[in-house]
Amino acid sequence: MNRERKTPERRSRKARRTRDTLAQAAFELVLDRGLRDVTVEEIAERADVDRRTFSRYFTSKEAAVLDSVRGDGDRINDALRARPAGERPLTAYRRAVLDWLADPEAEAWHRRPRIFELLVLAEQEPTLYAAFHHIRVDAQEDSVAIVAERLGVDPRQDIRPAVTVAAGAGALLAAQAAWVRGGCPDELPRLVEQAFDALAGELLTQPPAGPASHSTTEGNGTP
């Protein structure tokens, strides 16, 4: 009985190692040489497997390259589930993101080697950016379900969970974009705080800084 139970466990561990090896090979090759100069066959060869094995785990080289960040949405959602029930939904989402950034075991993007390079490349390569967008969408769908459960509502009937997650994820995306374009890898936590502060504060309370309003005497001939 124990032997029968251990066999699937071994297979699962072997499959996980194969997937991780392929993902690491893709990550290193693409960051070293560029997305367009790396083939699936080269990734498989670096991982010491064949092309068919690659296809069992990944649909594209973009998916393989991004596998290292796929779990980050799950980590944020785990932190969201753990937030106190009495917190407002957007506050809970914000603090979940900050919990992820502060957790040394989670290895958030600013702590993980070369993730900054990966996200810079994603800004430059449309197919990589599109694949990253799909990862974010999957994570946000789970976030909506978590927020809906916190509120005790059906997300198909109540729009508040989707609005909450869209706002929070938008703040995180804006911080990520500023982080990548700013070229300062250690700045991500500060930018995330800044993005959520803007969302919760001045954007809702301060009038936009625009051109001065026109005089009521304009056009009546008054000098």
Side-chain angles (χ1 to χ4, degrees):
M1 181 68 71
N2 288 340
R3 184 176 181 181
E4 292 175 357
R5 185 166 57 249
K6 287 180 179 178
T7 298
E9 291 174 357
R10 289 194 191 101
R11 288 174 180 166
S12 178
R13 289 196 298 270
K14 182 179 179 182
R16 181 71 254 180
R17 285 195 299 270
T18 301
R19 182 186 181 95
D20 289 346
T21 301
L22 281 164
Q24 186 63 27
F27 184 84
E28 292 172 355
L29 283 169
V30 167
L31 290 185
D32 288 344
R33 291 165 44 189
L35 183 68
R36 300 176 191 182
D37 292 330
V38 174
T39 66
V40 167
E41 287 75 17
E42 289 172 317
I43 295 169
E45 183 179 355
R46 169 73 69 91
D48 198 24
V49 299
D50 58 25
R51 176 68 167 77
R52 183 179 299 177
T53 299
F54 177 94
S55 298
R56 274 205 304 270
Y57 293 95
F58 298 109
T59 58
S60 66
K61 60 184 178 181
E62 288 85 355
V65 173
L66 291 167
D67 199 58
S68 58
V69 298
R70 181 174 295 278
D72 291 310
D74 294 335
R75 294 181 184 97
I76 292 171
N77 283 330
D78 287 343
L80 180 58
R81 288 187 187 93
R83 296 305 309 169
E87 283 183 340
R88 293 179 181 273
L90 187 56
T91 298
Y93 191 95
R94 172 183 182 152
R95 290 178 178 167
V97 172
L98 295 175
D99 287 346
W100 165 66
L101 288 169
D103 184 356
E105 294 185 4
E107 286 192 310
W109 294 338
H110 61 300
R111 289 196 181 96
R112 204 176 312 162
R114 305 196 76 181
I115 293 298
F116 182 82
E117 294 177 53
L118 175 63
L119 297 183
V120 168
L121 186 63
E123 289 280 326
Q124 300 167 352
E125 293 287 352
T127 58
L128 198 59
Y129 187 87
F132 188 40
H133 173 72
H134 284 298
I135 291 173
R136 287 198 304 262
V137 168
D138 289 343
Q140 288 169 31
E141 288 178 356
D142 290 341
S143 299
V144 170
I146 296 167
V147 172
E149 185 176 356
R150 290 173 64 90
L151 292 174
V153 300
D154 183 346
R156 296 169 297 182
Q157 305 295 329
D158 192 315
I159 200 172
R160 288 177 297 167
V163 171
T164 297
V165 172
L172 178 56
L173 179 60
Q176 174 206 317
W179 179 56
V180 167
R181 292 165 190 166
C184 298
D186 294 334
E187 287 286 277
L188 182 60
R190 182 188 67 80
L191 290 168
V192 168
E193 288 270 26
Q194 189 178 46
F196 276 99
D197 283 346
L199 179 63
E202 61 188 42
L203 289 180
L204 300 178
T205 59
Q206 294 183 6
S213 59
H214 294 293
S215 169
T216 56
T217 59
E218 183 178 348
N220 64 4
T222 303

